[in-house]
Amino acid sequence: MRPVFRRFITLCIFLLPFFLISQEKFTLSGVISEASSNETLIGVTIAIPALRTGVTTNEYGFFSLTLPKGTYEIQISYLGFLDVVETITFDRDQKINFQLNEEAEVLEEVVLTENVEKLNISKPQMSVNTLAVQTIKNIPVVLGEADIIKSLILLPGVSNAGEGASGFNVRGGAADQNLILLDEATIFNSSHLFGFFSVFNPDAIKDVKLFKGGIPARYGGRVSSVLEIFQKEGNSKEFKMNGGIGAVASRLLAEGPIVKDKGAFLIGGRASYAHLFLPLFNIDNTAYFYDLNTKINYKLNNNNSLYLSGYFGRDVFAISNSFENIYGNSVLNLRWNHLFSDKLFSNLSLIYSDFYYGLELDFVGFKWNSGIQNFNIKYDLKHYLSDRFQVNYGINNIYYTFNPGKIVPNGPDSGILEEQLIKKYANEFAAYVDVEHNLSEALSLQYGLRLSHFIRLGQDELNVYENNNPVIFDPFLLVYQEATPTGTIAPGRGEQLATFTNLEPRISLAYTLDEDQSIKASYTRIAQYLHLLSNTSSPTPLDVWTPSGPFVKPQLLDQYAVGYFRSLQDGEYSLETEVFYKDIQNRIDYIDGANLIANNAIEQVILNGKARAYGWEVLLRKNEGRFKGWLAYTLSRSEQQTPGRNPFEDNGRSNKETGINFGQWYSTPYDKTHDISLYGSYDLNKKWRFNSNFVYQTGQPTNYPVGQFQFQELTIPFYGLRNKERLPDYHRLDVSATLTPTKNLKRKWQTEWVFSIYNVYSRMNAASINFRRNQDTGNNEAVRTSIFGIVPAVTYNFKF
């Protein structure tokens, strides 16, 4: 061996211990919670400015941070809470729990030398919006009831079908394309009173997050968005109550310790009572809702915690004694958090979710009920390998039961025979891995893969059609018609009618230009196996969910997004702007005249097509100071195409079916070209706070008659191409003022009054436009239907 080479080997051996020591790393882990209640906090930033790195707490307040040996300044920041700055020496693995105080409760404020929120600029996650619960409570809404869904509509890329419409639409998608999770349980209907209120009680909610794109691999099953909502866990330090009395509804929430600092409970309820005053006006009708939020948590030891949460809600709508409608959600979730080590966190969940729809028609003599149930078991793990490399992975399995409807006679003299529409069954399995990887100080990635496998299980009866085609085309009338079944089969529950397997890759990246700005990009592929059968622009409780199967393929999304993000004036302002393109395969539409209610062969009225949406979103926020708020703008298109299928022979010539709108692209019912939202909040002093928002949207697509003809002395209108016309543009201004008596500051019992005016200038926005013949003049006329003009409201809130 040459002397030079030998000396080099000797030097490497001599320096190896020093190299190993310099690479030695240690882990800091713990839970971050609110000091006054022990409520864990989601998304808290734990930053190390010297290394330009950091992590955030997960859904249960847990964090883990692995760094090289040394002493570092740790900065902990969370919106609405006082920042914490501590110096910690990393010379051993440590578990430290931190508690944050609300800014309003602390007299002396710590001033950070660097804005830790700038670290969010470098995070690869994009197309995500969060709303603080206090912001949701401040936003003026109709009848004074704080509403999560109505607040989300003020964000870019989010809209709905108008006043009183249920659900919400994200980036040109339908309402059934949103996955809504409450403590991980699926909510199938998010509205009370057919869309006037949402099912979520803001008093019971801790965190709200909306994923519009760049959706992590742990989520699947819906192609537009994921709305993730977590309930509070309850105060484990002392008993607390709060509530409010409003114009149409009141609410009350109680929380307190089961065992101090180890376990807590939360129970909250809401109910509307406007119907109680209807008899005073000689009105024998009923319309009200009620719901209940519950949660129990118990810390077994430092490594194990149990959570049991639930929600139950019902709406009741009745006309005299002849009609009654009851519908609502029920969910239950048992969760076990386990910490294998200071780097490996796990969560096991057993979830039950149910949506029920019931209808009783006394004048006809029957009861009707339908719904969807699922049982879900899921196991998620998060591995904090280092401060620059984290891995999420897990599995989940969902078993579905679909009840499209059951008719039951409501009395011996009804004359109606009991009939159960054919129930459907399915199973959806998924496994995923998701990686958060910081390649350098400038480049961060989040990438993952989801494998989904859907099985449509056997049922009591299934139609068989000639050429396996349940929809036929009439070449003479140029219309689609229901095919006549050639027979039926009775596959057993253990058989598989159809199976679908999809790989769903996801990737997001962020490139930091400097500490104040970055560019981001993402690609998302998602499969959706459930479909909501609805031929209205706004879902109704009567709409029925159906699974993919022999005649209905799963929807497949490919979404691309690119964005620019900037922090202005040291975080006082922030700018987010994105462009996106969505392509969806197998989006269903319906033949003209389709009947979706009590239809045992829904495949006879469905056509498969595709959809696309693209647009530009801008969100400019003011984050600090007495005046806060944002301006959101969306420019977008949402279109669908349902082309003709196989060619048919006509007089020896090969012709193609017409499809819908002759196979051309046409606007979806939720296409809004321009969408502008402006929200502002101004703290005048400790006593008065003012809030306002302005909304402008392009009118939604609709169908108007383009002509008419006479048939047996009847005037029959006929319509042109689907969704060719639009309703008038929508706009309104809302304001509110919150009065907090100054004497409350030193009292345990604290109150506030909220005075709000919805639609200040009483704009009569069109919910629909119908056409009729004037009985006096004989001329045709258009009639605008509006739901709200100006609506003042007063709400009294309290807590103790």
Side-chain angles (χ1 to χ4, degrees):
M1 185 180 295
R2 293 182 179 180
V4 175
F5 186 71
R6 187 168 51 247
R7 285 195 296 269
F8 176 74
I9 294 296
T10 303
L11 180 63
C12 288
I13 294 173
F14 176 76
L15 293 176
L16 181 60
F18 298 96
F19 177 77
L20 293 175
I21 292 174
S22 66
Q23 295 301 308
E24 194 173 9
K25 294 185 177 183
F26 298 97
T27 300
L28 171 67
S29 63
V31 173
I32 299 181
S33 59
E34 185 178 344
S36 63
S37 64
N38 281 336
E39 184 81 40
T40 58
L41 299 175
I42 303 173
V44 178
T45 299
I46 303 96
I48 301 87
L51 300 180
R52 298 184 59 81
T53 188
V55 296
T56 57
T57 55
N58 69 2
E59 292 81 3
Y60 298 91
F62 177 80
F63 75 95
S64 177
L65 185 64
T66 300
L67 299 176
K69 184 177 181 180
T71 300
Y72 304 98
E73 183 182 81
I74 308 295
Q75 298 182 356
I76 301 174
S77 175
Y78 190 63
L79 183 65
F81 287 80
L82 188 70
D83 298 315
V84 171
V85 180
E86 288 203 13
T87 300
I88 296 178
T89 299
F90 281 70
D91 57 1
R92 67 188 187 281
D93 293 339
Q94 303 174 71
K95 288 186 177 180
I96 303 177
N97 297 329
F98 295 94
Q99 293 199 321
L100 304 185
N101 293 285
E102 291 187 59
E103 288 181 340
E105 296 181 356
V106 181
L107 298 178
E108 195 170 322
E109 188 170 332
V110 174
V111 178
L112 298 182
T113 57
E114 182 168 342
N115 184 2
V116 297
E117 291 302 318
K118 290 180 181 178
L119 290 174
N120 294 328
I121 293 289
S122 63
K123 297 293 182 183
Q125 184 66 67
M126 64 181 302
S127 306
V128 174
N129 292 123
T130 59
L131 281 180
V133 173
Q134 187 56 50
T135 300
I136 294 171
K137 292 181 178 181
N138 290 342
I139 293 174
V141 292
V142 65
L143 298 172
E145 285 297 306
D147 193 293
I148 289 176
I149 301 298
K150 298 294 189 295
S151 301
L152 291 174
I153 293 169
L154 298 177
L155 297 173
V158 187
S159 64
N160 71 350
E163 288 174 323
S166 61
F168 59 100
N169 308 109
V170 176
R171 288 185 169 175
D176 69 309
Q177 295 174 330
N178 303 315
L179 178 62
I180 303 174
L181 300 174
L182 179 64
D183 277 352
E184 302 179 351
T186 302
I187 299 294
F188 288 99
N189 186 293
S190 62
S191 299
H192 281 310
L193 295 183
F194 304 100
F196 289 112
F197 307 98
S198 75
V199 299
F200 307 109
N201 181 353
D203 288 345
I205 300 305
K206 173 167 67 173
D207 187 75
V208 178
K209 185 178 294 183
L210 178 68
F211 296 85
K212 301 178 296 186
I215 298 174
R218 66 180 181 272
Y219 303 106
R222 301 295 188 277
V223 296
S224 263
S225 74
V226 176
L227 175 58
E228 187 177 47
I229 300 174
F230 284 96
Q231 297 186 120
K232 293 179 179 178
E233 295 166 4
N235 193 319
S236 64
K237 286 185 175 290
E238 58 181 335
F239 180 79
K240 293 279 189 178
M241 290 188 73
N242 65 278
I245 302 172
V248 295
S250 290
R251 62 193 190 280
L252 184 65
L253 183 137
E255 55 183 325
I258 298 174
V259 177
K260 190 171 183 179
D261 293 328
K262 291 194 68 174
F265 75 90
L266 177 143
I267 181 168
R270 283 191 307 172
S272 64
Y273 41 72
H275 66 286
L276 299 177
F277 303 100
L278 295 180
L280 300 177
F281 304 95
N282 200 28
I283 299 176
D284 192 19
N285 296 339
T286 298
Y288 66 91
F289 72 86
Y290 59 92
D291 52 30
L292 179 70
N293 297 78
T294 60
K295 195 164 187 178
I296 298 173
N297 77 87
Y298 189 77
K299 185 177 181 180
L300 300 175
N301 52 44
N302 289 334
N303 295 330
N304 295 278
S305 298
L306 291 176
Y307 301 84
L308 179 64
S309 60
Y311 168 83
F312 180 83
R314 284 294 183 266
D315 281 73
V316 179
F317 178 66
I319 299 177
S320 300
N321 295 318
S322 59
F323 172 91
E324 185 178 51
N325 181 203
I326 301 176
Y327 66 92
N329 300 277
S330 304
V331 300
L332 189 68
N333 186 4
L334 175 63
R335 283 167 289 169
W336 170 41
N337 285 176
H338 176 65
L339 193 61
F340 286 98
S341 69
D342 53 9
K343 292 185 178 182
L344 182 57
F345 179 92
S346 72
N347 178 67
L348 174 66
S349 298
L350 303 175
I351 306 168
Y352 168 78
S353 181
D354 170 84
F355 174 71
Y356 167 82
Y357 179 84
L359 184 67
E360 182 173 1
L361 298 173
D362 280 345
F363 64 93
V364 179
F366 73 85
K367 296 180 181 179
W368 166 279
N369 65 78
S370 64
I372 177 175
Q373 294 178 331
N374 75 45
F375 297 89
N376 184 6
I377 179 170
K378 61 192 296 284
Y379 193 42
D380 302 294
L381 300 101
K382 183 161 188 174
H383 210 152
Y384 299 83
L385 296 175
S386 73
D387 63 311
R388 296 186 177 275
F389 196 85
Q390 303 165 28
V391 182
N392 298 272
Y393 47 94
I395 59 173
N396 78 286
N397 192 82
I398 308 174
Y399 179 80
Y400 295 98
T401 300
F402 303 84
N403 176 18
K406 182 178 182 180
I407 298 174
V408 180
N410 64 354
D413 301 324
S414 136
I416 300 293
L417 298 178
E418 181 173 328
E419 180 183 2
Q420 170 67 61
L421 299 184
I422 299 171
K423 289 187 175 182
K424 301 178 178 69
Y425 307 91
N427 191 83
E428 182 177 354
F429 170 82
Y432 74 91
V433 60
D434 199 30
V435 177
E436 300 172 38
H437 191 182
N438 295 338
L439 295 177
S440 66
E441 288 189 3
L443 182 61
S444 300
L445 296 178
Q446 181 173 331
Y447 50 90
L449 182 66
R450 182 181 182 89
L451 170 68
S452 59
H453 182 66
F454 188 86
I455 304 173
R456 173 72 177 274
L457 300 171
Q459 58 193 50
D460 293 340
E461 184 179 294
L462 182 69
N463 288 336
V464 178
Y465 301 93
E466 184 179 355
N467 298 324
N468 204 31
N469 187 6
V471 181
I472 58 176
F473 182 73
D474 189 322
F476 300 102
L477 299 177
L478 298 180
V479 295
Y480 289 93
Q481 298 175 340
E482 302 174 10
T484 302
T486 59
T488 60
I489 58 175
R493 186 77 61 83
E495 294 188 36
Q496 299 180 7
L497 299 180
T499 61
F500 305 95
T501 302
N502 284 284
L503 286 173
E504 306 172 27
R506 323 280 175 86
I507 184 168
S508 301
L509 62 88
Y511 185 79
T512 304
L513 302 175
D514 56 42
E515 64 178 12
D516 290 319
Q517 56 184 334
S518 67
I519 53 175
K520 301 183 182 184
S522 67
Y523 166 74
T524 306
R525 184 174 178 85
I526 300 178
Q528 177 171 334
Y529 299 101
L530 305 188
H531 312 263
L532 185 65
L533 302 177
S534 176
N535 54 9
T536 62
S537 58
S538 173
T540 70
L542 189 57
D543 297 334
V544 176
W545 289 87
T546 192
S548 298
F551 305 108
V552 183
K553 298 178 181 179
Q555 301 177 66
L556 298 175
L557 163 80
D558 292 288
Q559 180 175 190
Y560 311 85
V562 178
Y564 172 75
F565 301 79
R566 185 180 181 95
S567 175
L568 303 168
Q569 295 187 16
D570 202 28
E572 182 176 354
Y573 296 87
S574 60
L575 172 67
E576 304 172 18
T577 181
E578 296 184 33
V579 292
F580 66 89
Y581 182 86
K582 296 168 59 174
D583 179 78
I584 300 175
Q585 303 174 44
N586 306 324
R587 179 62 182 166
I588 62 174
D589 209 337
Y590 310 99
I591 66 174
D592 291 333
N595 178 26
L596 303 180
I597 300 175
N599 191 336
N600 228 349
I602 203 68
E603 67 274 5
Q604 296 177 341
V605 297
I606 288 176
L607 294 174
N608 280 308
K610 58 184 178 180
R612 68 185 182 189
Y614 47 92
W616 173 46
E617 299 173 355
V618 180
L619 179 62
L620 177 63
R621 286 179 180 265
K622 187 177 188 302
N623 305 308
E624 300 175 3
R626 284 188 172 185
F627 176 77
K628 301 182 183 71
W630 67 77
L631 170 65
Y633 173 67
T634 306
L635 173 67
S636 65
R637 289 296 304 273
S638 174
E639 300 173 312
Q640 190 158 336
Q641 185 183 48
T642 310
R645 301 169 301 177
N646 298 326
F648 61 89
E649 293 294 327
D650 180 18
N651 294 328
R653 294 181 303 173
S654 179
N655 291 305
K656 196 173 183 180
E657 295 178 2
T658 58
I660 295 178
N661 285 17
F662 300 102
Q664 301 174 3
W665 288 97
Y666 55 96
S667 298
T668 66
Y670 11 90
D671 174 49
K672 304 286 182 69
T673 308
H674 301 282
D675 189 343
I676 302 173
S677 299
L678 180 62
Y679 168 72
S681 176
Y682 181 71
D683 295 326
L684 179 64
N685 48 44
K686 292 183 178 180
K687 191 174 182 179
W688 286 99
R689 181 177 64 251
F690 299 94
N691 298 276
S692 67
N693 53 260
F694 173 78
V695 177
Y696 172 87
Q697 295 177 353
T698 300
Q700 68 187 68
T702 189
N703 298 303
Y704 294 153
V706 296
Q708 63 185 32
F709 61 91
Q710 300 294 129
F711 178 75
Q712 295 182 353
E713 299 182 354
L714 295 176
T715 301
I716 311 245
F718 63 88
Y719 293 80
L721 298 180
R722 189 172 296 188
N723 292 343
K724 195 67 173 177
E725 310 295 335
R726 287 186 181 270
L727 293 175
D729 292 350
Y730 178 99
H731 55 86
R732 72 169 200 275
L733 172 67
D734 313 321
V735 298
S736 72
T738 302
L739 169 63
T740 304
T742 52
K743 61 182 180 182
N744 287 343
L745 299 177
K746 297 181 180 180
R747 291 183 177 182
K748 189 171 183 180
W749 177 280
Q750 297 186 4
T751 63
E752 67 176 17
W753 290 89
V754 181
F755 308 93
S756 64
I757 301 177
Y758 178 88
N759 197 0
V760 171
Y761 50 85
S762 197
R763 162 78 174 180
M764 304 305 292
N765 289 295
S768 65
I769 292 182
N770 300 305
F771 294 83
R772 69 185 182 190
R773 186 177 184 182
N774 189 292
Q775 297 297 322
D776 297 327
T777 65
N779 297 326
N780 292 332
E781 61 183 7
V783 180
R784 175 188 298 209
T785 301
S786 300
I787 297 178
F788 294 116
I790 184 171
V791 182
V794 179
T795 302
Y796 173 74
N797 296 321
F798 60 88
K799 62 180 179 179
F800 61 90

